[in-house]
Amino acid sequence: MPVAATNSESAMQQVLDNLGSLPSATGAAELDLIFLRGIMESPIVRSLAKAHERLEETKLEAVRDNNLELVQEILRDLAQLAEQSSTAAELAHILQEPHFQGVTFRVEGGELVIARILHGGMVAQQGLLHVGDIIKEVNGQPVGSDPRALQELLRSASGSVILKILPSYQEPHLPRQVFVKCHFDYDPARDSLIPCKEAGLRFSAGDLLQIVNQDDANWWQACHVEGGSAGLIPSQLLEEKRKAFVKRDLELTPTSGTLCGSLSGKKKKRMMYLTTKNAEFDRHELLIYEEVACMPPFRRKTLVLIGAQGVGRRSLKNKLIMWDPDRYGTTVPYTSRRPKDSEREGQGYSFVSRAEMEADIRAGRYLEHGEYEGNLYGTRIDSIRGVVAAGKVCVLDVNPQAVKVLRTAEFVPYVVFIEAPDFETLRAMNRAALESGVSTKQLTEADLRRTVEESSRIQRGYGHYFDLSLVNSNLERTFRELQAAMEKLRTEPQWVPVSWVY
């Protein structure tokens, strides 16, 4: 059954016509014909035929001036097919990987030097070229120091390509595995400094990356821990330079009632809470990358609940302790005021003299402290150690700045942000609490808006410390989510700051 055709597409059509003219078949032969017709009518095969025609019209070139435009054109052609075919979708994905941007060059001392080899690309996998190698000749022709000369030589080459290089003679070394948690969003398409936008790696705040190459002081190579090819990201140094002079305000308006459980009821004057080692770098801290390590499942020593006043942190803490008092505990706050007749030492408060408390504050023995109506209140760090020593997870609802003190290998905290719901939901929750008798205070619109705004400020200023965020629009549902998260810590690996491990 000879086929005479002037091009690939018409040849395919003639094959289909010939298949249609064959006598009917039965059984396996009929199934084979159906299968063959299905292949020939596939849009993928037709697209390949069109590509074949275009390749026959012009010589296949190793390098073209418009390689990027050509890839983009192919991707546009594949866009519709990708919605119908997984094969086309996979091809489109491959074409968007940085394998096509495998090597970059720089001119140094009149020589053409390999400046970068992207990790995971074909050149890197072959291992024949290395950063620092000097390209001298292509198929016996010198390239000099002009990258365009190299391009022309590769374009005119046919068959195998022989490179003559002057190796860099760098001693091979196994790079240390480095993993980081990102604290900012990055889109290479919007970065005017990146040397090759198509080779960049996009990521969002909270993503985990493996740094695979740090040879370039300004551009690291990294990939997502979930997998995928490597790409360029700005180095810590480069991003610090970019952000060093960006004015940032992380200060939060201090609020009453965030320290001690007894501070409720009538209106109180504003208090200023201070934390141990409350560094000035709050205002200048640059959120870029944080090196982390993956640990097998383990129990955290502290659970820290962060959130705006009135968002339900204390209710969640009390529910957790009542649910499993053998597993969870909390501290007893200290105060310099005298006990009331009905109060007993260690039940609600531990009572000490003002002089003693001031001395301990100066000695850095308090996680946080504040003053209300002439009396001092605070949380001693030793009281946290006491709960942990008793074999319990110490549950704390503290000021956000206290997280910096707790976030160490000694306390290994799991930090949960209890986020305020939207204004209308918060108002409905307050109304329901009043009707059920759970609360006796009706919040004004100003109170509700203050809670929502404070919640947003905390999230902006301290979000990089959070391991989990829960919107408390329903206390029971939020409590179940908190329980589930704590159980997960006992069964799944955890990414933690590398300082906790080494």
Side-chain angles (χ1 to χ4, degrees):
M1 185 173 63
V3 176
T6 58
N7 56 53
S8 300
E9 190 171 11
S10 59
M12 288 176 54
Q13 187 59 48
Q14 189 167 346
V15 170
L16 288 171
D17 295 340
N18 290 335
L19 287 174
S21 64
L22 289 175
S24 60
T26 59
E30 182 179 7
L31 292 176
D32 289 342
L33 287 174
I34 294 174
F35 176 71
L36 180 57
R37 175 175 287 276
I39 292 177
M40 299 301 293
E41 292 179 341
S42 167
I44 297 297
V45 175
R46 290 188 178 275
S47 297
L48 290 175
K50 290 181 180 180
H52 182 263
E53 291 175 17
R54 295 182 64 178
L55 291 174
E56 285 183 334
E57 294 171 0
T58 182
K59 181 182 177 182
L60 181 62
E61 299 173 342
V63 177
R64 285 177 46 174
D65 291 333
N66 64 335
N67 274 332
L68 180 58
E69 290 80 2
L70 178 60
V71 171
Q72 296 300 324
E73 181 182 346
I74 296 173
L75 285 171
R76 286 193 296 270
D77 292 340
L78 287 172
Q80 293 181 344
L81 292 175
E83 299 177 357
Q84 305 170 2
S85 167
S86 59
T87 305
E90 182 179 3
L91 176 58
H93 175 72
I94 292 173
L95 290 177
Q96 295 178 75
E97 295 291 338
H99 294 78
F100 297 94
Q101 310 288 337
V103 181
T104 58
F105 300 89
R106 69 175 184 269
V107 177
E108 185 177 289
E111 304 280 6
L112 200 58
V113 183
I114 296 178
R116 180 185 293 109
I117 298 176
L118 281 185
H119 178 85
M122 188 62 68
V123 177
Q125 292 178 19
Q126 291 173 340
L128 300 177
L129 298 176
H130 304 86
V131 173
D133 290 351
I134 299 174
I135 308 297
K136 303 294 291 185
E137 297 178 359
V138 175
N139 288 347
Q141 299 295 318
V143 298
S145 61
D146 187 359
R148 289 174 295 184
L150 174 62
Q151 188 181 55
E152 290 297 331
L153 289 171
L154 290 174
R155 179 185 291 115
S156 60
S158 60
S160 62
V161 176
I162 300 176
L163 297 177
K164 182 179 180 180
I165 67 170
L166 184 63
S168 59
Y169 295 110
Q170 293 180 353
E171 285 293 330
H173 63 280
L174 294 176
R176 181 174 69 91
Q177 282 195 324
V178 178
F179 299 90
V180 297
K181 181 180 180 181
C182 305
H183 290 313
F184 68 105
D185 298 332
Y186 178 70
D187 183 358
R190 306 181 65 174
D191 190 348
S192 61
L193 298 182
I194 190 169
C196 180
K197 295 183 186 295
E198 292 75 22
L201 182 71
R202 184 174 181 174
F203 58 79
S204 301
D207 285 356
L208 297 169
L209 303 180
Q210 180 180 1
I211 308 298
V212 295
N213 186 294
Q214 292 178 291
D215 294 340
D216 192 315
N218 292 322
W219 296 101
W220 293 347
Q221 296 182 40
C223 58
H224 290 275
V225 295
E226 299 85 0
S229 299
L232 298 181
I233 65 171
S235 69
Q236 178 85 16
L237 177 62
L238 176 61
E239 203 60 26
E240 282 179 355
K241 290 178 179 178
R242 263 204 283 225
K243 292 186 167 122
F245 300 104
V246 176
K247 185 177 181 180
R248 300 174 59 249
D249 186 5
L250 299 186
E251 290 184 329
L252 300 175
T253 303
T255 56
S256 59
T258 60
L259 184 60
C260 304
S262 300
L263 301 182
S264 61
K266 62 181 181 179
K267 185 176 181 180
K268 304 173 181 62
K269 65 180 181 181
R270 177 173 293 180
M271 298 168 56
M272 174 63 77
Y273 293 123
L274 305 175
T275 57
T276 302
K277 302 175 184 177
N278 183 14
E280 182 65 21
F281 69 74
D282 269 0
R283 299 182 182 180
H284 311 291
E285 191 177 22
L286 296 177
L287 310 181
I288 301 176
Y289 305 113
E290 177 183 24
E291 189 172 357
V292 294
C294 188
M295 295 291 294
F298 71 98
R299 191 188 73 171
R300 300 292 181 99
K301 294 180 181 179
T302 57
L303 168 61
V304 182
L305 303 179
I306 300 296
Q309 180 186 8
V311 83
R313 291 176 299 142
R314 192 164 297 114
S315 297
L316 289 169
K317 179 183 76 172
N318 293 336
K319 284 176 70 68
L320 200 60
I321 295 172
M322 291 177 62
W323 172 64
D324 193 345
D326 294 328
R327 183 177 170 189
Y328 298 100
T330 191
T331 60
V332 176
Y334 281 70
T335 180
S336 63
R337 72 168 174 81
R338 294 186 177 183
K340 299 176 182 178
D341 293 340
S342 59
E343 291 178 320
R344 296 291 180 270
E345 169 65 28
Q347 297 180 359
Y349 288 103
S350 288
F351 300 94
V352 294
S353 68
R354 186 181 183 91
E356 181 182 352
M357 194 166 178
E358 288 177 342
D360 287 340
I361 290 172
R362 288 192 297 271
R365 297 190 178 98
Y366 276 81
L367 172 67
E368 59 180 6
H369 64 276
E371 183 170 1
Y372 170 68
E373 293 185 350
N375 298 306
L376 296 173
Y377 297 85
T379 301
R380 277 182 63 102
I381 296 176
D382 282 345
S383 63
I384 302 173
R385 296 189 178 109
V387 176
V388 173
K392 299 181 180 182
V393 178
C394 186
V395 187
L396 300 165
D397 58 306
V398 294
N399 189 279
Q401 291 188 3
V403 177
K404 294 196 300 293
V405 182
L406 293 170
R407 209 164 179 265
T408 65
E410 179 183 7
F411 298 112
V412 289
Y414 189 70
V415 182
V416 179
F417 175 55
I418 308 302
E419 184 179 352
D422 60 81
F423 176 81
E424 293 300 332
T425 302
L426 194 62
R427 180 162 58 182
M429 291 174 63
N430 179 240
R431 188 184 303 116
L434 290 171
E435 294 173 353
S436 63
V438 174
S439 175
T440 58
K441 181 182 180 183
Q442 182 172 359
L443 300 177
T444 65
E445 286 202 2
D447 294 332
L448 297 171
R449 294 194 187 279
R450 192 178 301 113
T451 297
V452 174
E453 291 170 1
E454 182 186 0
S455 182
S456 297
R457 286 196 299 270
I458 293 174
Q459 190 169 34
R460 288 194 304 269
Y462 298 90
H464 54 291
Y465 292 134
F466 303 158
D467 295 297
L468 177 68
S469 294
L470 299 175
V471 179
N472 188 22
S473 57
N474 180 286
L475 186 63
E476 292 301 324
R477 182 172 63 244
T478 304
F479 178 62
R480 290 193 298 270
E481 292 172 344
L482 182 60
Q483 286 177 303
M486 297 305 293
E487 291 300 318
K488 189 182 293 185
L489 293 177
R490 308 172 74 177
T491 59
E492 295 185 4
Q494 304 174 40
W495 289 94
V496 301
V498 73
S499 60
W500 294 4
V501 182
Y502 304 108

